[in-house]
């Protein structure tokens, strides 16, 4: 009896070994798995700018010591490597000291170190520093997207806006001035906040150099549409004032992730009166990220010529982003956030900001890292889908200082 069972089992094992599991994709076939598609695609990406950077590093950084076998390594760190060294511009992009030169680049990073609009935990004035510091961790190449930002677009860092810590309105004018100047050159403004009060002057600056309509996709746990808070235009107010601009209509404002115990009732009446588009986390859970992104894009682009994205880092589940002023549990998971950003950005943006990163409350730079990833994923999506520079067509008015 036992012998028959053993023989039967052995026969079954042999048959299973002969089976071809045709319902499983071949992991080494580029036609069936994205992993191998990405691996094969890498060879088609040029290395021209990388090679130029290495050559320049040797010329200006002094060739390495004779004991160094890798002859691409200079004595002084110049360029991407090593990641722990060098001057921390955003992604080690060129620092453009002369602001009149930003038009030579597809996108320009602008730091806005301002937290004068905070109503609880301050510290976001250090957000630009934190994001730049951790950005040294990244390379310009993304495996899944199959793109290399260094090779396929141009990026510069214009440094920080000179904000006035004790004066919100003067700081707003400085911010609008900076964004308007960069946008007027045709370079895409990428803003590192800073608290969310800057959401008004950034949009105001952009809107000042175009007669075209701008939609806004605002990802946040908070509504940020009160007229005033604590008698000032704090970080709870930007979209009341942004949607008062003549070419920024409230019906083209899409707010994603709103909810929890930190939405002031004073904001809700304005949302209803202005008929903004609101998606809670329950909406995202029920409809899914793809559907919410589709609906958001439809509303933001309706009758508009461009879309601006404002990403508040506190829209992400608080466990993943401790370094923020108003953490709220129950938000987006990091992978959901990145998918949403990619879906929105691939259609083209006229500018974007990431706000409310507060390094003093962060742990191991994980909040700054998440902010960095949101920005580079947006840049990557636009590069991969050929929409980088799409915004240039709306710039039809000259820069006028505020």
């Amino acid at each position: 009896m036992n012998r028959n069972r053993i023989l039967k089992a052995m026969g079954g094992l042999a048959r299973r070994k002969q089976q071809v599991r045709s319902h499983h994709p071949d992991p080494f076939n580029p036609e069936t798995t994205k992993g191998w598609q990405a691996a094969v695609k890498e060879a088609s990406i040029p290395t021209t700018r990388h090679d130029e950077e290495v050559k320049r590093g040797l010329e200006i950084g002094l060739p390495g010591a004779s004991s160094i076998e890798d002859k691409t390594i200079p004595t002084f760190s110049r360029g991407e490597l090593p990641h722990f060294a060098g001057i921390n511009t955003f992604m080690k992009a060129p620092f453009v000291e002369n602001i009149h030169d930003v038009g030579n680049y597809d996108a320009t990073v602008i730091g806005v170190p301002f937290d004068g609009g905070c109503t609880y935990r301050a510290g976001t004035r250090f957000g630009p520093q934190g994001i730049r510091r951790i950005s040294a961790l990244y390379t310009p190449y993304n495996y899944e997207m199959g793109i290399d930002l260094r090779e396929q677009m141009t990026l510069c860092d214009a440094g920080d806006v000179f904000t006035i810590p004790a004066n919100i309105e003067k700081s707003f004018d400085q911010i609008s001035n900076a964004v308007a100047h960069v946008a007027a050159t045709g370079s895409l403004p990428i803003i590192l906040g800073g608290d969310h009060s800057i959401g008004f002057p950034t949009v105001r600056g952009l809107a000042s150099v175009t007669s075209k309509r701008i939609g806004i996709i605002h990802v946040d746990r908070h509504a940020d549409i009160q007229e005033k808070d604590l008698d000032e235009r704090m970080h709870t107010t930007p979209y009341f004032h942004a949607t008062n601009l003549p070419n920024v209509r409230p019906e083209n404002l899409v707010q994603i992730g709103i909810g929890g115990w930190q939405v002031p009732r004073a904001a809700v009446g304005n949302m209803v009166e202005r008929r903004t588009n609101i998606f809670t986390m329950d909406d995202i859970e029920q409809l899914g990220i793809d559907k919410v992104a589709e609906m958001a894009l439809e509303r933001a682009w309706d009758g508009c010529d461009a879309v601006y994205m404002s990403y508040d880092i506190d829209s992400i589940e608080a466990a993943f982003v401790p370094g923020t002023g108003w953490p709220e549990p129950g938000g987006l998971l990091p992978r959901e956030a990145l998918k949403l950003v990619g879906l929105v950005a691939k259609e083209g943006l006229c500018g974007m900001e990431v706000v409310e990163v507060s390094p003093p409350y962060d742990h191991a730079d994980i909040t700054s890292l998440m902010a960095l990833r949101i920005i580079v994923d947006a840049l990557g999506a636009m590069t991969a889908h050929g929409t980088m520079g799409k915004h240039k067509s709306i710039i039809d008015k000259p820069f006028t200082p505020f």
Side-chain angles (χ1 to χ4, degrees):
M1 181 69 74
N2 289 339
R3 182 172 179 274
N4 289 338
R5 286 179 180 173
I6 292 171
L7 290 173
K8 186 176 181 180
M10 289 177 65
L13 180 61
R15 285 192 297 273
R16 282 196 295 274
K17 284 183 176 180
Q18 295 171 359
Q19 288 177 352
V20 178
R21 297 184 179 274
S22 57
H23 60 290
H24 288 174
D26 178 357
F28 301 105
N29 184 347
E31 296 181 359
T32 57
T33 66
K34 292 183 178 179
W36 264 92
Q37 287 174 11
V40 171
K41 186 175 182 180
E42 187 277 334
S44 68
I45 302 172
T47 62
T48 307
R49 289 177 182 162
H50 167 267
D51 298 340
E52 290 172 352
E53 183 178 288
V54 169
K55 181 181 178 182
R56 183 174 182 274
L58 292 170
E59 289 173 352
I60 66 175
L62 194 66
S66 58
S67 59
I68 302 295
E69 296 181 10
D70 184 348
K71 298 307 178 185
T72 66
I73 295 177
T75 297
F76 289 88
S77 171
R78 297 291 183 269
E80 179 189 345
L81 299 176
H83 291 285
F84 53 81
I87 306 301
N88 275 148
T89 61
F90 184 85
M91 295 283 287
K92 295 193 176 177
F95 170 56
V96 177
E97 187 173 18
N98 187 340
I99 201 64
H100 300 287
D101 294 336
V102 296
N104 297 327
Y105 297 86
D106 292 326
T108 298
V109 172
I110 307 168
V112 181
F114 183 71
D115 55 15
C118 285
T119 56
Y120 188 51
R121 300 197 309 199
T124 56
R125 68 177 62 184
F126 301 111
Q129 287 183 0
I131 298 168
R132 285 188 177 106
R133 182 173 60 249
I134 198 62
S135 76
L137 179 67
Y138 273 8
T139 75
Y141 168 67
N142 181 283
Y143 180 79
E144 296 101 322
M145 290 185 188
I147 56 101
D148 187 317
L149 297 180
R150 175 170 48 202
E151 301 294 336
Q152 295 169 278
M153 65 162 290
T154 54
L155 176 70
C156 73
D157 191 327
D160 292 343
V161 175
F162 196 135
T163 57
I164 313 300
N167 194 301
I168 290 176
E169 298 302 329
K170 288 181 180 179
S171 292
F172 282 3
D173 290 344
Q174 288 280 82
I175 295 162
S176 292
N177 228 29
V179 174
H181 170 79
V182 171
T185 70
S187 190
L188 181 75
I190 306 293
I191 294 106
L192 315 179
D195 71 53
H196 215 158
S197 68
I198 74 170
F200 163 58
T202 54
V203 172
R204 182 177 65 173
L206 190 58
S208 73
V209 295
T210 179
S211 62
K212 308 297 184 181
R213 285 181 171 172
I214 299 171
I216 301 173
I217 292 183
H218 163 218
V219 188
D220 203 331
R221 291 292 277 151
H222 311 104
D224 292 354
I225 198 167
Q226 295 169 239
E227 182 175 4
K228 284 189 175 182
D229 192 357
L230 306 179
D231 207 39
E232 294 287 347
R233 297 203 280 190
M234 306 297 277
H235 66 166
T236 47
T237 70
Y239 297 108
F240 180 92
H241 303 287
T243 55
N244 280 338
L245 297 167
N247 52 345
V248 182
R249 302 180 303 172
E251 54 264 41
N252 296 119
L253 170 64
V254 183
Q255 302 180 282
I256 302 173
I258 310 303
W261 295 90
Q262 296 173 8
V263 178
R265 293 181 66 183
V268 178
N270 292 330
M271 296 161 78
V272 174
E273 180 183 349
R274 298 188 175 211
R275 298 186 63 79
T276 66
N277 305 275
I278 309 154
F279 294 92
T280 66
M281 287 307 304
D282 284 342
D283 289 320
I284 293 170
E285 188 172 337
Q286 292 171 17
L287 297 170
I289 288 290
D290 290 89
K291 193 59 170 179
V292 168
E294 178 188 337
M295 295 167 70
L297 287 164
E298 182 179 300
R299 297 304 303 139
W301 278 97
D302 184 29
C304 288
D305 303 280
V307 165
Y308 182 84
M309 180 163 65
S310 178
Y311 202 101
D312 191 322
I313 205 69
D314 67 33
S315 64
I316 296 169
E317 164 58 46
F320 297 100
V321 287
T324 191
W326 279 90
E328 174 62 40
L332 293 161
L333 298 177
R335 191 159 56 183
E336 293 174 326
L338 295 176
K339 184 171 186 181
L340 176 62
V341 166
L343 291 170
V344 169
K346 75 177 186 178
E347 302 299 328
L349 298 171
C350 61
M352 71 172 292
E353 65 194 16
V354 177
V355 296
E356 297 290 352
V357 174
S358 185
Y361 292 94
D362 207 0
H363 174 73
D365 296 320
I366 60 174
T367 309
S368 294
L369 179 62
M370 191 67 212
L372 164 67
R373 181 64 191 265
I374 286 166
I375 295 166
V376 292
D377 271 30
L379 293 174
M382 286 185 279
T383 300
H385 290 86
T387 54
M388 176 65 70
K390 179 179 177 180
H391 68 286
K392 292 183 180 181
S393 63
I394 73 163
I395 307 301
D396 59 5
K397 294 170 67 177
F399 167 63
T400 302
F402 279 79

